[in-house]
Amino acid sequence: MDEYHIYPAGDAAVNVTFANRVDPAINRAIRQLQSALEASRLTGITGFVPAFRTLTVLYDPLKLSLPQLKQAIKTAALATHQHSSQTKRIVHIPVAYGKAFGPDLSNVAQHAHLTPKEVVARHCHADYLIYMLGFLPGFVYLGGLDPQIATPRLATPRLKIHAGAVGIAGEQTGIYPIESPGGWQIIGQTPLQLFQPDQQDPFYYHAGDYIHFDPVSDFEYQQIQKMVNEKNYQIYVETRQVNVDGTQS
Amino acid sequence: MGLRVNEPGLLTTIQDGGRMVGIAAGFSPSGVMDRQAAQLANLLTGHSTNQPVLEYSILGPTITFTAQTVIALTGGRVAAKLNGVVVAQNQALVVHRNDQLVIGPLLSGRYGYLAVANVLKIPKVLESYATSLRYQLGGFKGRALRAGDFIATREPAPTVTGIAQRKISLPAADESQQTQLIRVVPGPQFEQFEQPATALFVSQTYTVSKDADRMGIRLSGVALSVDNVPEMLSEATVAGGIQVPKSGQPIVLMADRQTTGGYPVIAVVATVDLPKLVQIVPGHEIQFEWITLAQSQQLLREQSEEMVALQQRFSHLKPDTTRHISTKIRQLFETN
């Protein structure tokens, strides 16, 4: 596993800190470390918060001492060497682009010197890696946006962006899982309700998963929305085996 | 049985130990600000420590109880009145049908707690009762209480034994204008700050600014230099984490904090001192003091042992016979 350091973050958490960069390999290392620690079922670990270069391990110091936790992290980090392949989980999000769904699509097209259609094609091409969630519940920090369609934020943020809005801000792309103010260039809208508070797992995705945007027509948007409202829409989640270095096996 | 809200107070919400399962998905944990006070209120009313309680700030609510039960008030000092008569804090109180509790303004401190022996009948969201005002979920309809709200509770009222002995004497809170000491451990970015900044951090006094709420407490003092602290990628935040943004004025992160942040964290408040910090009123001064992680965890262990001992003492209390009988007689009258 990549080199890491353990820094206490107060008396009930430690940060396992990897190299200071945004890198899919680091994200993979963090994800593997979390899986290995979860598998160890060590008493006293109370939660995990993965981020770009850190895995924060929350613990109860009355049940687990810091030396014990450090040892468990070392053991888990060694165990991750043994995995040769892992599953790539790709969550497909249907999106209606442009018009009322994406009022800023033409801005992005203009900035990229492309047609709106070409922007959509590029936006729907990639599998975007979820580096982390934060800022808002279910808000994904995605990597992999085509640099050609990277567009600065709006000069004046909107006071209200609808839940399900899909946007671009600089070199980031993402979805607003709940209504919020924000300055993102909104290029589309998903009919899915990403936040399901009544579910054990309130979002379809976690850090380490991928998101793929599938373009849908207005008609399909309405159809999916209807199914979502009737609670019989089945979200498409693709799984693929990939080698540890990220190549397809 | 239930609680009828006659007057809501200023920021009265239902809170518990926090929505811990949602942190990795980006949910603020929320939960009580003063964990110790909330836990004591729960123990006084016969609960375990993590049941939902009413948290109020600055001005407490006025509540009518629709049946007999046992309640307790803890946290910031108030002059609460039950049917017009002043009642004590930090002890179990029997209330009867149609009794009205006026909690009134906080005379010291920032957060107070009301626990009720009957379990509040509200749904859990992501395994927690905590109200998140930002996301409008959890607690009572995802919002602060309003006049006219009715919070139903589970029946029957649990038996709470030894009412008269269910009291705790806490060391009187320091209400003087004196600077309060808050113990801290080095934060994850401590080593990235230059020595003059880490020295100034503990040598000066900070004023708690008026921007102090459930999200965070902004402090004002002589700015700490962050000029040579490298830019960082966002990472998880923790309760009591002390971020230093470009302004050099620290912000202590609290229950409603965002789950990730990108400012360097110079220090983290020792968990045992968080209750003291959250109760400090804006305009008052604090000073930080370094302790080691081992010291901080030892203090936490001692506090936890005291809480367990208290819970055990209460669980062995014998029924208070005279009160028990008078209660029975009163109940007879109430049902007739």
Side-chain angles (χ1 to χ4, degrees):
Chain A
M1 175 160 281
D2 304 50
E3 202 181 314
Y4 62 88
H5 295 278
I6 299 174
Y7 295 103
D11 51 30
V14 295
N15 286 353
V16 185
T17 303
F18 293 84
N20 190 15
R21 57 177 189 267
V22 178
D23 180 344
I26 291 171
N27 178 270
R28 216 157 31 240
I30 287 171
R31 195 178 163 205
Q32 289 180 347
L33 180 61
Q34 179 175 342
S35 301
L37 282 168
E38 279 170 345
S40 77
R41 297 185 166 278
L42 191 63
T43 305
I45 292 182
T46 55
F48 298 95
V49 191
F52 286 115
R53 62 171 302 217
T54 49
L55 177 65
T56 298
V57 183
L58 310 175
Y59 70 106
D60 179 351
L62 306 181
K63 293 184 178 145
L64 181 64
S65 75
L66 184 59
Q68 283 172 319
L69 177 58
K70 280 184 171 172
Q71 188 52 50
I73 290 166
K74 273 179 204 155
T75 308
L78 287 172
T80 59
H81 277 300
Q82 294 157 6
H83 295 276
S84 61
S85 76
Q86 62 174 28
T87 304
K88 179 175 174 180
R89 189 170 179 272
I90 307 158
V91 179
H92 286 254
I93 307 283
V95 178
Y97 286 92
K99 290 182 282 188
F101 295 116
D104 304 323
L105 179 61
S106 53
N107 282 351
V108 175
Q110 211 168 14
H111 188 265
H113 304 292
L114 295 169
T115 65
K117 219 172 182 173
E118 288 168 329
V119 171
V120 173
R122 286 178 186 245
H123 193 253
C124 293
H125 182 72
D127 294 334
Y128 298 102
L129 173 61
I130 303 176
Y131 279 99
M132 59 185 277
L133 285 80
F135 167 54
L136 290 173
F139 190 90
V140 287
Y141 287 84
L142 298 175
L145 181 69
D146 184 333
Q148 177 85 43
I149 58 172
T151 312
R153 286 174 165 79
L154 295 173
T156 310
R158 287 189 175 88
L159 292 176
K160 183 170 156 179
I161 292 178
H162 293 295
V166 174
I168 288 174
E171 289 170 10
Q172 287 186 82
T173 184
I175 323 169
Y176 276 82
I178 59 174
E179 190 185 294
S180 169
W184 288 45
Q185 305 273 358
I186 303 303
I187 60 170
Q189 172 79 30
T190 178
L192 301 187
Q193 283 166 9
L194 295 174
F195 174 43
Q196 309 164 87
D198 49 342
Q199 297 294 309
Q200 177 73 25
D201 204 347
F203 295 101
Y204 297 109
Y205 44 75
H206 303 104
D209 292 345
Y210 291 78
I211 281 184
H212 192 100
F213 296 108
D214 295 326
V216 297
S217 67
D218 294 9
F219 177 71
E220 288 169 312
Y221 180 95
Q222 312 294 346
Q223 293 289 308
I224 295 169
Q225 193 171 47
K226 188 162 177 284
M227 286 191 277
V228 167
N229 290 339
E230 290 165 0
K231 295 198 182 296
N232 56 14
Y233 180 79
Q234 200 66 43
I235 192 165
Y236 173 40
V237 179
E238 188 186 346
T239 52
R240 266 188 243 148
Q241 282 303 118
V242 292
N243 294 323
V244 158
D245 61 4
T247 58
Q248 308 273 333
S249 58
Chain B
M1 149 79 199
L3 281 63
R4 198 171 296 287
V5 179
N6 307 124
E7 300 287 345
L10 267 185
L11 187 65
T12 306
T13 56
I14 292 173
Q15 299 292 349
D16 65 7
R19 183 165 288 107
M20 306 314 282
V21 298
I23 294 177
F27 288 89
S28 297
S30 301
V32 293
M33 288 288 280
D34 182 341
R35 187 168 300 240
Q36 195 185 15
Q39 290 184 345
L40 290 173
N42 270 322
L43 294 185
L44 288 168
T45 50
H47 292 297
S48 58
T49 50
N50 197 23
Q51 287 296 310
V53 294
L54 269 64
E55 177 183 279
Y56 44 87
S57 183
I58 304 172
L59 177 65
T62 295
I63 284 167
T64 301
F65 301 90
T66 62
Q68 178 176 320
T69 187
V70 175
I71 65 165
L73 292 164
T74 63
R77 190 163 63 81
V78 291
K81 289 180 177 175
L82 189 64
N83 300 330
V85 179
V86 173
V87 290
Q89 284 177 260
N90 302 317
Q91 72 172 59
L93 304 166
V94 178
V95 296
H96 301 98
R97 188 161 67 103
N98 293 334
D99 278 0
Q100 190 186 54
L101 177 72
V102 180
I103 295 177
L106 272 81
L107 305 175
S108 73
R110 290 267 286 175
Y111 297 95
Y113 297 89
L114 167 67
V116 184
N118 296 57
V119 176
L120 304 180
K121 218 191 246 175
I122 53 166
K124 271 190 178 179
V125 178
L126 300 178
E127 299 182 29
S128 167
Y129 298 105
T131 307
S132 168
L133 295 174
R134 291 179 68 210
Y135 319 136
Q136 296 165 24
L137 60 85
F140 188 84
K141 301 182 180 175
R143 61 168 171 79
L145 298 182
R146 295 177 192 155
D149 285 343
F150 180 75
I151 307 164
T153 61
R154 295 220 180 100
E155 306 301 333
T159 310
V160 182
T161 53
I163 301 289
Q165 297 157 74
R166 281 179 184 268
K167 57 173 97 172
I168 39 179
S169 52
L170 294 171
D174 186 357
E175 292 177 19
S176 64
Q177 297 289 324
Q178 276 180 354
T179 303
Q180 305 256 359
L181 269 186
I182 301 292
R183 291 167 290 189
V184 293
V185 297
Q189 282 77 39
F190 171 81
E191 289 170 16
Q192 294 174 21
F193 286 83
E194 291 175 312
Q195 199 277 335
T198 54
L200 179 59
F201 178 68
V202 287
S203 65
Q204 70 171 318
T205 57
Y206 280 105
T207 305
V208 173
S209 82
K210 61 177 175 13
D211 294 322
D213 59 19
R214 288 185 42 87
M215 265 184 89
I217 297 173
R218 284 174 186 265
L219 303 173
S220 63
V222 179
L224 302 177
S225 168
V226 287
D227 292 346
N228 295 319
V229 178
E231 287 284 323
M232 60 178 277
L233 293 163
S234 287
E235 61 185 41
T237 58
V238 293
I242 305 175
Q243 291 183 336
V244 186
K246 289 269 173 275
S247 68
Q249 304 293 345
I251 304 168
V252 193
L253 301 177
M254 290 293 152
D256 283 349
R257 67 190 180 273
Q258 289 191 358
T259 55
T260 56
Y263 293 121
V265 175
I266 191 170
V268 183
V269 177
T271 300
V272 288
D273 278 0
L274 279 174
K276 184 172 165 186
L277 177 60
V278 302
Q279 295 291 4
I280 295 172
V281 174
H284 287 221
E285 289 188 339
I286 61 169
Q287 184 165 9
F288 293 116
E289 180 186 32
W290 295 115
I291 57 171
T292 66
L293 193 65
Q295 286 172 315
S296 178
Q297 293 184 334
Q298 180 57 30
L299 290 166
L300 191 59
R301 191 170 296 113
E302 286 164 13
Q303 191 188 61
S304 166
E305 281 163 3
E306 282 172 27
M307 206 64 87
V308 169
L310 191 65
Q311 189 166 12
Q312 281 173 349
R313 174 157 79 76
F314 287 164
S315 67
H316 292 123
L317 289 179
K318 299 271 184 300
D320 181 333
T321 43
T322 52
R323 189 174 291 263
H324 188 64
I325 290 162
S326 70
T327 299
K328 284 277 172 207
I329 292 167
R330 198 190 266 263
Q331 270 176 333
L332 276 175
F333 281 105
E334 278 186 359
T335 48
N336 284 325

